[in-house]
């Protein structure tokens, strides 16, 4: 019926109603209901548009599309629409938004190539919002918010100035929202309320209900551990190596040297799928959350602590269920053989990165290492370096990207200092071993042509590569682009040949790359240089890893090849969305805490380097990883300099001295002023001549 409807609407020159369409199609009364359902479906999909006079049109003939509001600025909003199978951004003037708000799904009519108007809102995104109670008013911190708030149940609560409140939207009216107070989160002076407010604003599920916790505990108390069908590895020397504060230990490692001299590496991963059964209440909650989220002063776990820190965590001297991946490597790091199976282990040692690094550097350690453990760790170090060299030779991008470690006072929830995260030998060792296991598991399934979830990272688009090439030319580096044969090895070669500019080049490369995601279609992992890759090693904190374990068991043990491909596609997409949501929240919290930290150093001068150039100024990153904006107007007599000259003078990678002049903690913003004046040479002849000369 759809095809017939679309053909009639495409061919007709008359304005047709549903009744007219029914007559043309000669449908009887019993079929008319199906006609209405089909028309409504086509309207929901944005294919058909029903006018106020109930006439039907093909939407694209009227330049009408479905879009999503991405951001709202002072005078206009940015809306993302799909036109001719491509996504594009259009601008909508604020008076044409029709009360649409950020992330709302809207029906838009294009008025020109890149402008439009909102005809109506199809789906509101905002159903919870966090407000502050100020002088008997509920204040939502967004000057572009188009609604007035009408609170239906405020008399039930004793509210005081400064209360931070979670509201639930009950009904959208034309210009106001009917809301109810769902929860008082605290007072704006409470320790940690800033991050809690950000969590609720993000929409991330952050609490397990008491009922859910009780149900989990009852389930675990009645869950019998069955070791049948698993290999007993409890006599094997196995250890875990994690951060000092880690509590959810989901991986452990072992290593032996075979008679032929090859390395026999074991990667043992907590078997979360044994406890979180498919379609169970725990599984549904884990699906909804998608990932654990690690913030400055807290962790929002994907699974309750009884599972993540309890029955599944590979704590030392406790028998735990695992999935083990054993890999045999020769002296060049080539994978000779592998085996994957369910197992149970008894980890002998719970080690941490700091102490293992001291051992590797032959420094005094706090842990007493038995000889067999010490020997195994140094053999692991040898294998790690072999694997890393092979990875880089295969296209692994070793980017020099600074990551911050925020040192917090957990009682006051305030930041004490910022340190750079350092990846030393121990951290690199675990990363290399986990990558090896992920590749091995992915290859095992891929070459059997079985449905699976992969971790994919597409190569940069041609447009991104061309932009990268332009940026690298400013550093006198030539990027040879051959789209069909271009690989990550080209970029790694540039990094290797320009080590003095590694930090800057790494930033440029990172910006050129697409985001990694989950997919049932294997397109490889560009950044790792891997043909086939998955996430197998962290099922306590990532939902895709949990699914990977389930399918490994189905294929390995049950020889069950019935796959719900529709669910796999949905799970991959949902996991990618949850990952992005978590990443944005983690980044926003880090920005706020960095601004809070730099508030203590207003007036101080730092050396930094340029990470971005805009029309109004430059972004500068300090050695402590804090990034801020230095406006051109902070340069003395900046109006004397030609604008293009300024942009060329401060290119990405330029080093300069800046002074901290202000911060906006709530927005996570740091502002700098230019300090070192002799970096700019005045142009003789004054502003007028300078402009003339630079525009030639």
């Amino acid at each position: 019926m759809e095809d017939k409807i679309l053909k009639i609407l495409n061919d007709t020159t008359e304005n047709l109603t549903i009744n007219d369409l029914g007559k043309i199609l000669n449908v009887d009364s019993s079929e008319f209901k199906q006609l209405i359902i089909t028309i409504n479906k086509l309207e929901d999909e944005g294919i058909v548009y029903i006018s106020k006079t109930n006439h039907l049109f093909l939407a694209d003939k009227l330049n009408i599309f479905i879009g999503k509001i991405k951001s709202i600025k002072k005078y206009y909003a940015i809306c993302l629409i799909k036109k001719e199978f491509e996504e594009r951004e259009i601008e909508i003037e604020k008076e044409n938004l029709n009360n649409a708000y950020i992330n709302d799904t809207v029906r838009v009519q294009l008025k020109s190539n890149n402008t439009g108007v909102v005809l109506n809102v199809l789906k509101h995104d905002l159903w919870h919002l966090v407000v502050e109670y100020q002088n008997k008013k509920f204040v939502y911190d967004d000057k572009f918010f188009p609604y007035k708030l009408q609170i239906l149940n405020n008399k039930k609560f004793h509210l005081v100035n400064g209360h931070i409140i979670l509201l639930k939207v009950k009904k959208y009216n034309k210009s106001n929202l009917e809301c109810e107070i769902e929860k008082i989160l605290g007072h704006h002076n409470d320790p940690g309320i800033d991050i809690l407010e950000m969590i609720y604003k993000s929409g991330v599920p952050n609490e397990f209900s008491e009922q859910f916790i009780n149900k989990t505990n009852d389930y675990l108390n009645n869950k019998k551990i069955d070791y049948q069908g698993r290999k007993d590895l409890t006599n094997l020397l196995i250890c875990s190596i994690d951060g000092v504060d880690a509590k959810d230990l989901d991986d452990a490692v072992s290593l032996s040297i075979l008679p032929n001299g090859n390395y026999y590496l074991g990667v043992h991963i907590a078997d979360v799928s044994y406890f979180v059964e498919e379609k169970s209440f725990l599984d549904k909650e884990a699906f909804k959350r998608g990932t654990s989220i690690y913030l400055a002063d807290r962790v929002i776990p994907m699974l309750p602590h009884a599972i993540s820190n309890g029955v599944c965590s590979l704590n030392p001297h406790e028998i735990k269920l695992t999935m083990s991946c054993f890999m045999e490597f020769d002296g060049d790091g080539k994978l000779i053989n592998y085996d994957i199976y369910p197992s149970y282990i008894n980890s002998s040692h719970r080690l941490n990165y700091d102490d293992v690094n001291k051992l590797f550097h032959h420094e005094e350690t706090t842990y007493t290492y038995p000889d067999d453990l010490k020997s195994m760790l140094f053999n692991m170090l040898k294998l790690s370096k072999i694997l890393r060299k092979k990875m880089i030779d295969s296209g692994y991008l070793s980017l020099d990207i600074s990551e911050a470690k925020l040192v917090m006072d957990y009682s006051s929830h305030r930041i004490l200092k910022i340190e750079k995260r350092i990846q030393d030998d121990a951290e690199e060792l675990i990363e290399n071993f986990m990558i090896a296991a992920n590749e091995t598991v992915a290859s095992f399934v891929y070459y059997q042509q079985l449905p699976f979830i992969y971790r994919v990272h597409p190569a940069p688009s041609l447009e991104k590569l061309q932009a990268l090439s332009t940026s690298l030319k400013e550093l006198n580096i030539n990027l040879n682009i051959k789209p069909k044969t271009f690989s990550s090895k080209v970029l790694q070669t540039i990094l290797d040949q320009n080590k003095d500019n590694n930090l800057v080049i790494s930033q440029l490369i990172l910006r050129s790359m697409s985001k990694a995601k989950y997919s049932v279609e294997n397109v490889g992992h560009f950044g790792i240089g891997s043909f086939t890759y998955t996430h197998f090693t962290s099922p306590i904190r990532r939902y895709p890893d949990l699914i990977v374990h389930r399918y490994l068991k189905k294929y390995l043990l049950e020889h069950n090849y019935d796959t719900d491909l529709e669910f796999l596609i949905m799970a991959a997409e949902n996991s990618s969305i949850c990952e992005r949501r978590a990443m944005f929240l983690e980044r926003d919290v880090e920005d706020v805490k960095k601004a809070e930290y730099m508030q203590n150093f207003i007036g101080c001068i730092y050396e930094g380097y340029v990470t971005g150039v805009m029309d109004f100024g430059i972004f500068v990153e300090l050695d402590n990883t804090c990034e801020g904006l230095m406006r051109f107007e902070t340069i003395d007599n900046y109006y004397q300099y030609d604008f293009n000259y300024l942009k060329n003078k401060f290119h990405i990678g330029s080093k300069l001295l800046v002074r901290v002049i202000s911060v906006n903690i709530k927005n996570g913003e740091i502002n700098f002023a230019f300090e070192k004046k002799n970096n700019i040479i005045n142009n003789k002849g004054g502003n007028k001549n300078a402009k003339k000369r630079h525009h030639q």
Side-chain angles (χ1 to χ4, degrees), residues 529-552:
S530 178
F531 175 73
T532 176
Y533 195 71
T534 192
H535 272 169
F536 158 74
T537 55
S538 295
I540 287 178
R541 61 183 180 89
R542 291 189 305 228
Y543 191 75
D545 304 54
L546 179 58
I547 293 179
V548 164
H549 280 230
R550 284 193 188 131
Y551 276 86
L552 279 175

Side-chain angles (χ1 to χ4, degrees), residues 148-152 168-173 176-180:
K148 292 181 180 178
L149 299 177
Q150 181 183 352
I151 313 302
L152 304 176
K168 183 175 183 179
V169 178
K170 303 297 289 184
K171 184 180 179 182
Y172 274 84
N173 290 322
N176 70 297
L177 294 187
E178 293 182 10
C179 304
E180 286 185 351

Side-chain angles (χ1 to χ4, degrees), residues 549-598:
H549 280 230
R550 284 193 188 131
Y551 276 86
L552 279 175
K553 286 181 182 176
K554 274 188 178 183
Y555 298 151
L556 278 167
L557 301 180
E558 303 168 19
H559 302 292
N560 176 3
Y561 304 109
D562 278 341
T563 306
D564 187 347
L565 186 58
E566 188 176 334
F567 172 77
L568 273 183
I569 294 170
M570 181 176 63
E573 176 64 24
N574 181 70
S575 297
S576 298
I577 291 170
C578 291
E579 179 186 43
R580 289 195 295 270
R581 180 179 65 182
M583 182 184 67
F584 290 142
L585 177 58
E586 289 169 350
R587 183 199 62 194
D588 290 346
V589 167
E590 183 174 299
D591 287 346
V592 164
K593 286 302 170 183
K594 284 181 174 179
E596 178 189 302
Y597 177 75
M598 293 305 293

Side-chain angles (χ1 to χ4, degrees), residues 200-461:
Y200 275 99
K201 281 183 177 178
S202 73
V204 167
N206 70 304
E207 291 179 331
F208 296 106
S209 68
E210 185 178 350
Q211 181 182 6
F212 188 89
I213 294 296
N214 291 337
K215 189 174 181 180
T216 301
N217 291 336
D218 289 343
Y219 164 74
L220 292 177
N221 288 336
N222 293 309
K223 178 77 171 175
K224 293 182 179 179
I225 307 299
D226 184 5
Y227 298 101
Q228 189 173 356
R230 294 178 174 271
K231 288 203 176 183
D232 181 357
L233 303 178
T234 54
N235 292 324
L236 199 63
L237 176 59
I238 294 176
C239 68
S240 62
I241 310 175
D242 293 275
V244 175
D245 299 328
K247 295 180 176 63
D248 50 351
L249 313 181
D250 48 17
D251 60 84
V253 288
S254 62
L255 184 72
S256 59
I257 306 298
L258 297 175
N260 61 5
N262 287 346
Y263 297 90
Y264 196 56
L265 172 66
V267 173
H268 315 280
I269 307 300
D271 187 359
V272 181
S273 65
Y274 182 86
F275 297 96
V276 182
E277 297 172 20
E278 194 171 5
K279 298 182 180 178
S280 67
F281 72 100
L282 285 167
D283 185 42
K284 291 174 183 176
E285 185 68 20
F287 177 90
K288 183 173 73 174
R289 293 171 178 250
T291 180
S292 295
I293 304 174
Y294 297 85
L295 304 177
D297 62 351
R298 69 198 77 188
V299 176
I300 303 174
M302 183 180 77
L303 294 164
H305 289 305
I307 291 177
S308 60
N309 298 359
V311 294
C312 288
S313 187
L314 305 183
N315 304 319
H317 313 300
E318 296 178 10
I319 295 178
K320 298 288 183 172
L321 304 185
T322 47
M323 288 290 290
S324 292
C325 177
F326 280 96
M327 295 158 282
E328 179 184 347
F329 294 100
D330 67 14
D332 295 323
K334 181 182 177 182
L335 182 64
I336 305 300
N337 205 351
Y338 66 87
D339 208 354
I340 306 166
Y341 47 74
S343 57
Y344 55 101
I345 68 169
N346 187 353
S347 176
S348 308
H349 306 274
R350 192 271 196 236
L351 307 178
N352 67 73
Y353 293 128
D354 295 345
D355 211 66
V356 173
N357 281 322
K358 288 178 181 177
L359 175 72
F360 288 157
H361 299 324
H362 305 286
E363 298 171 0
E364 187 177 344
T365 62
T366 57
Y367 194 81
T368 302
Y369 294 86
D371 289 342
D372 58 347
L373 176 61
K374 191 183 295 186
S375 174
M376 183 176 78
L377 287 170
F378 276 101
N379 281 330
M380 284 181 171
L381 181 60
K382 289 178 187 176
L383 175 60
S384 173
K385 292 186 179 300
I386 292 169
L387 291 178
R388 178 55 63 116
K389 182 182 183 304
K390 186 174 185 299
M391 285 161 55
I392 291 175
D393 290 344
S394 299
Y396 176 90
L397 277 174
S398 184
L399 299 179
D400 187 3
I401 303 296
S402 298
E403 289 188 36
K405 179 183 178 183
L406 307 184
V407 181
M408 302 292 298
D409 180 338
Y410 289 99
S411 59
S412 67
H413 295 266
R414 296 192 67 80
I415 184 167
L416 299 175
K417 60 180 177 177
I418 301 172
E419 298 175 346
K420 274 188 179 180
R421 288 193 185 275
I422 298 173
Q423 189 181 55
D424 210 334
D425 287 334
E427 290 89 347
E428 188 174 282
L429 180 152
I430 292 300
E431 180 187 357
N432 294 342
F433 290 178
M434 298 305 118
I435 288 175
N438 286 333
E439 284 186 315
T440 301
V441 167
S443 298
F444 164 71
V445 176
Y446 176 75
Y447 288 111
Q448 295 183 73
Q449 297 184 327
L450 297 170
F452 207 47
I453 281 190
Y454 296 95
R455 178 67 169 177
V456 300
H457 186 210
S461 65

Side-chain angles (χ1 to χ4, degrees), residues 146-205:
Y147 295 99
K148 292 181 180 178
L149 299 177
Q150 181 183 352
I151 313 302
L152 304 176
N153 64 338
N154 57 311
K155 292 181 180 179
K156 294 181 180 180
F157 296 85
H158 177 64
L159 302 176
V160 299
N161 273 350
H163 263 154
I164 306 297
I165 300 163
L166 178 67
L167 298 180
K168 183 175 183 179
V169 178
K170 303 297 289 184
K171 184 180 179 182
Y172 274 84
N173 290 322
K174 187 171 184 180
S175 59
N176 70 297
L177 294 187
E178 293 182 10
C179 304
E180 286 185 351
I181 296 174
E182 186 165 299
K183 189 176 185 180
I184 297 175
L185 301 180
H187 192 272
H188 67 207
N189 292 329
D190 291 345
I193 191 68
D194 54 346
I195 294 181
L196 186 63
E197 186 176 347
M198 294 171 73
I199 291 169
Y200 275 99
K201 281 183 177 178
S202 73
V204 167

